[in-house]
Amino acid sequence: MKFRIPFCLITLLVCSSIFGQKNTEQNPVVRVLTFNILHGATTKGDFNLDLLAKVIQDANPDFVALQEVDFKTNRAKKYDLVTDLGWRSKLVPLFGKAMTYDDGEYGEGVLSKYSFLSTRNIALPHSPKNEPRAALEVVTTLPSGDTVAFVGTHLDHLKDASDRIAQVKRINTVFSQNRYPTILAGDLNDVPGSMPISILEEVWASSYDSKNIAFTYPSDKPEKKIDYVMFLPKNRWRVIETKVIQDTVASDHCAYLVTLELLEDN
């Protein structure tokens, strides 16, 4: 019996060749999405959680890192955004507070296809007058039986990189000690080659192609990359595919989808 490979699969494997080898069916594969959701607003200034949920559902991710997540703030109409988006997309939700804001809270969100073995919310350093930031981690078991950690974060946005540098150093210190293969995803508010990203890449491998960088911001006309998926240990993950999802209404950021293969520990 002959097996005919669909043309779309051939195209995917060719596009993935810039990262080395193709996926092997024996190893688990995870789809990771990072998405700055603009606190539930849209670029038209309205409030449309169905539109955000559709971006997530269409990507069919195993894990989602959400940034600019409101928890029962006035501007978000008292919604618990991550829980509501989890319900709409049929994923397990978790919110991590970075700060009190607008009669509610503001921080990070994680959505997952799988239940959590453990969670932790790590406060990141910041200057006294700047916004607090956090890194939200979940540890879970894949259907293959492999245990992995997933971390979502949102770094400082100011032109002065001092807080971002302190924040990435804290991220490196904390998560480099993990027992399990770990994925880091989020809006890192800096470009490839910047000092904060370079510091992260001393510990983490990045999923983007440094020779052909796909921009993620702003969504109407992307001109820079500030949204990332990284992973460690570097020898435990292989990038299969990356995709920038450009929806000009859902958010001012493009969503960034990365498919990763978890390799055996040699």
Side-chain angles (χ1 to χ4, degrees), residues 11 46 62 88 111 129 132 145 154 157 190 200 205:
T11 302
D46 61 358
D62 295 284
R88 292 168 191 251
L111 300 174
K129 294 183 179 180
H154 186 194
H157 66 289
D190 225 327
L200 280 173

Side-chain angles (χ1 to χ4, degrees), residues 131-257:
E131 288 185 5
R133 302 286 175 160
L136 180 62
E137 179 190 52
V138 302
V139 176
T140 187
T141 302
L142 302 177
S144 62
D146 295 281
T147 300
V148 299
F150 178 72
V151 183
T153 194
H154 186 194
L155 302 185
D156 184 78
H157 66 289
L158 298 177
K159 184 176 181 180
D160 182 348
S162 300
D163 276 10
R164 282 192 298 283
I165 291 170
Q167 288 160 5
V168 297
K169 288 180 178 179
R170 176 66 172 158
I171 287 171
N172 283 355
T173 298
V174 172
F175 299 110
S176 63
Q177 304 302 312
N178 276 8
R179 295 172 53 195
Y180 307 112
T182 302
I183 300 168
L184 172 70
D187 174 3
L188 304 185
N189 269 317
D190 225 327
V191 298
S194 64
M195 184 173 292
I197 301 304
S198 297
I199 292 171
L200 280 173
E201 289 175 345
E202 292 174 2
V203 174
W204 306 80
S206 285
S207 59
Y208 66 92
D209 178 7
S210 60
K211 296 180 180 179
N212 186 26
I213 296 173
F215 300 143
T216 63
Y217 180 85
S219 60
D220 59 342
K221 190 177 180 181
E223 59 183 15
K224 60 182 177 179
K225 177 177 180 60
I226 57 176
D227 303 276
Y228 294 80
V229 172
M230 299 182 176
F231 47 87
L232 62 78
K234 296 180 180 182
N235 66 341
R236 291 299 311 276
W237 298 98
R238 179 184 298 133
V239 178
I240 302 302
E241 182 185 20
T242 66
K243 181 180 180 181
V244 173
I245 302 170
Q246 186 178 9
D247 187 312
T248 60
V249 179
S251 175
D252 58 341
H253 283 247
C254 298
Y256 181 54
L257 177 67

Side-chain angles (χ1 to χ4, degrees), residues 13-23 238-240 261:
L13 296 179
V14 170
C15 293
S16 300
S17 65
I18 58 173
F19 297 108
Q21 305 174 39
K22 65 181 182 180
N23 171 46
R238 179 184 298 133
V239 178
I240 302 302
E261 178 187 7

Side-chain angles (χ1 to χ4, degrees), residues 9-170:
L9 180 56
I10 295 173
T11 302
L12 171 60
L13 296 179
V14 170
C15 293
S16 300
S17 65
I18 58 173
F19 297 108
Q21 305 174 39
K22 65 181 182 180
N23 171 46
T24 58
E25 294 181 1
Q26 292 83 358
N27 295 325
V29 171
V30 296
R31 294 169 62 86
V32 176
L33 185 73
T34 181
F35 193 18
N36 183 317
I37 62 169
L38 193 61
H39 54 80
T42 73
T43 57
K44 291 185 176 180
D46 61 358
F47 190 80
N48 191 336
L49 297 186
D50 285 332
L51 188 57
L52 288 170
K54 186 177 187 307
V55 173
I56 295 169
Q57 287 175 307
D58 288 350
N60 188 28
D62 295 284
F63 301 105
V64 185
L66 300 173
Q67 303 87 48
E68 293 197 28
V69 180
D70 279 18
F71 176 84
K72 299 186 177 181
T73 62
N74 293 323
R75 70 177 177 182
K77 305 180 186 298
K78 290 298 182 179
Y79 276 86
D80 170 358
L81 291 184
V82 68
T83 297
D84 195 276
L85 288 172
W87 178 81
R88 292 168 191 251
S89 57
K90 297 180 173 61
L91 297 170
V92 183
L94 182 69
F95 173 75
K97 178 182 177 181
M99 66 179 182
T100 299
Y101 180 78
D102 193 25
D103 199 31
E105 298 175 0
Y106 175 82
E108 313 303 317
V110 164
L111 300 174
S112 171
K113 277 189 178 178
Y114 316 113
S115 61
F116 307 137
L117 297 175
S118 64
T119 67
R120 57 175 172 168
N121 191 31
I122 304 297
L124 300 179
H126 66 95
S127 302
K129 294 183 179 180
N130 292 349
E131 288 185 5
R133 302 286 175 160
L136 180 62
E137 179 190 52
V138 302
V139 176
T140 187
T141 302
L142 302 177
S144 62
D146 295 281
T147 300
V148 299
F150 178 72
V151 183
T153 194
H154 186 194
L155 302 185
D156 184 78
H157 66 289
L158 298 177
K159 184 176 181 180
D160 182 348
S162 300
D163 276 10
R164 282 192 298 283
I165 291 170
Q167 288 160 5
V168 297
K169 288 180 178 179
R170 176 66 172 158

